[in-house]
Amino acid sequence: MSKNTTQSIKVWDLLIRIFHWSLVVLFFIAYLTEDDWMLIHSYAGYTIALLVLFRLVWGAIGTYHARFTNFVVGPAKVKIYLKQLLAGKPTHYLGHNPAGAVMIVILLLSVFLATVTGMSLYATEGQGPLVGTFLSSWSEELLEEIHEFFANLTLFMVFVHVAGAIVSSFLHNENLVKAMITGEKTSERVNCTGFKEDNCLSEKL
C-alpha cells in the first residue's frame, strides 16, 4: 500500500540560487552598459566569466540537482519531452526537465563565449587577462561582431527561458520563480514500503 502526502522538498541549493540571480543581474548590467559605461561593463563581464566557471565546477561536484549528469539527457529524451509539452501533458521533473537542460547548456555556452570575445576585444587594445594570447591578434571588427552576436543570443535565450518557466509553472501548478528563491518545490511524495525513498517520488508531483 502507499499513501500520498504533499510536502516541500529542497531542490536548489544556496549556491545555485546565488549563481542564478547574480548571473541575471550581472548580464543585464553588462548588456545595458556596453556603450557608455565600459568600466562597469568589463567588470560585470569578468564576474560573469567567474560565475560560469563556478557553475561548471559545481555541475560536476555539487548537490544532486545541480550536477549536469542528473539532468542533461540525450536528444531522444528531449524529443519525447517536447512532444509531451506540445500535447499539454509533459512529465514533471523535480529538477530541470530535458528542455530546460538544453536551455541551460546553451545559455552557459552563449554567455561564456560572449565574455571570452569581450575579453579578447580588450586584448586587441592591450588590456585585460588575454593580452599576449592568440586571441589578441584577431580582427577587432570580427571579435566585436561575434561578441554582439552571443550577447544578443543570450538575451534571446533568457526570454525563451522565462517563457518556458511560465509555461511549466502553469502546466504543473507551481511557482518556479519562488522555487529559485526559496530552493524548495512542493511535491506529492509517495510513501511506499520496500523501496528507497528517492524512488517513491511521484512523477506527477
Side-chain angles (χ1 to χ4, degrees), residues 87-106:
K89 297 180 179 180
T91 299
H92 193 169
Y93 290 80
L94 189 58
H96 295 298
N97 61 56
V102 172
M103 179 67 59
I104 289 170
V105 171
I106 294 175

Side-chain angles (χ1 to χ4, degrees), residues 43-81:
Y43 278 108
Y46 292 145
T47 309
I48 288 172
L50 291 174
L51 283 173
V52 174
L53 290 175
F54 157 76
R55 185 64 184 91
L56 294 177
V57 172
W58 200 239
I61 65 172
T63 53
Y64 181 85
H65 291 290
R67 294 197 296 271
F68 295 120
T69 53
N70 292 324
F71 65 84
V72 176
V73 297
K77 288 188 177 181
V78 174
K79 185 177 180 180
I80 290 172
Y81 180 81

Side-chain angles (χ1 to χ4, degrees), residues 24 145 178 194:
V24 170
E145 289 181 1
K178 181 180 178 181

Side-chain angles (χ1 to χ4, degrees), residues 94 116 188:
L94 189 58
V116 169
E188 183 180 271

Side-chain angles (χ1 to χ4, degrees), residues 29-160:
I29 288 176
Y31 194 89
L32 295 173
T33 57
E34 182 176 4
D35 296 322
D36 301 320
W37 303 88
M38 289 306 297
L39 184 62
I40 296 175
H41 177 80
S42 61
Y43 278 108
Y46 292 145
T47 309
I48 288 172
L50 291 174
L51 283 173
V52 174
L53 290 175
F54 157 76
R55 185 64 184 91
L56 294 177
V57 172
W58 200 239
I61 65 172
T63 53
Y64 181 85
H65 291 290
R67 294 197 296 271
F68 295 120
T69 53
N70 292 324
F71 65 84
V72 176
V73 297
K77 288 188 177 181
V78 174
K79 185 177 180 180
I80 290 172
Y81 180 81
L82 291 176
K83 285 183 177 180
Q84 293 174 341
L85 186 64
L86 291 174
K89 297 180 179 180
T91 299
H92 193 169
Y93 290 80
L94 189 58
H96 295 298
N97 61 56
V102 172
M103 179 67 59
I104 289 170
V105 171
I106 294 175
L107 272 171
L108 287 175
L109 181 61
S110 180
V111 75
F112 183 71
L113 289 174
T115 58
V116 169
T117 51
M119 287 188 285
S120 299
L121 269 172
Y122 263 24
T124 62
E125 301 171 359
Q127 303 179 59
L130 298 183
V131 171
T133 67
F134 74 98
L135 292 171
S136 62
S137 63
W138 283 30
S139 163
E140 184 175 346
E141 183 178 349
L142 175 62
L143 284 170
E144 186 171 0
E145 289 181 1
I146 297 173
H147 178 64
E148 290 182 356
F149 170 80
F150 282 111
N152 290 326
L153 175 62
T154 301
L155 181 64
F156 172 74
M157 297 307 292
V158 166
F159 287 127
V160 175

Side-chain angles (χ1 to χ4, degrees), residues 174-193:
E174 62 182 358
N175 188 332
L176 291 180
V177 174
K178 181 180 178 181
M180 190 51 74
I181 294 173
T182 65
E184 297 182 347
K185 281 188 175 182
T186 300
S187 76
E188 183 180 271
R189 180 177 289 276
V190 181
N191 299 317
C192 43
T193 304

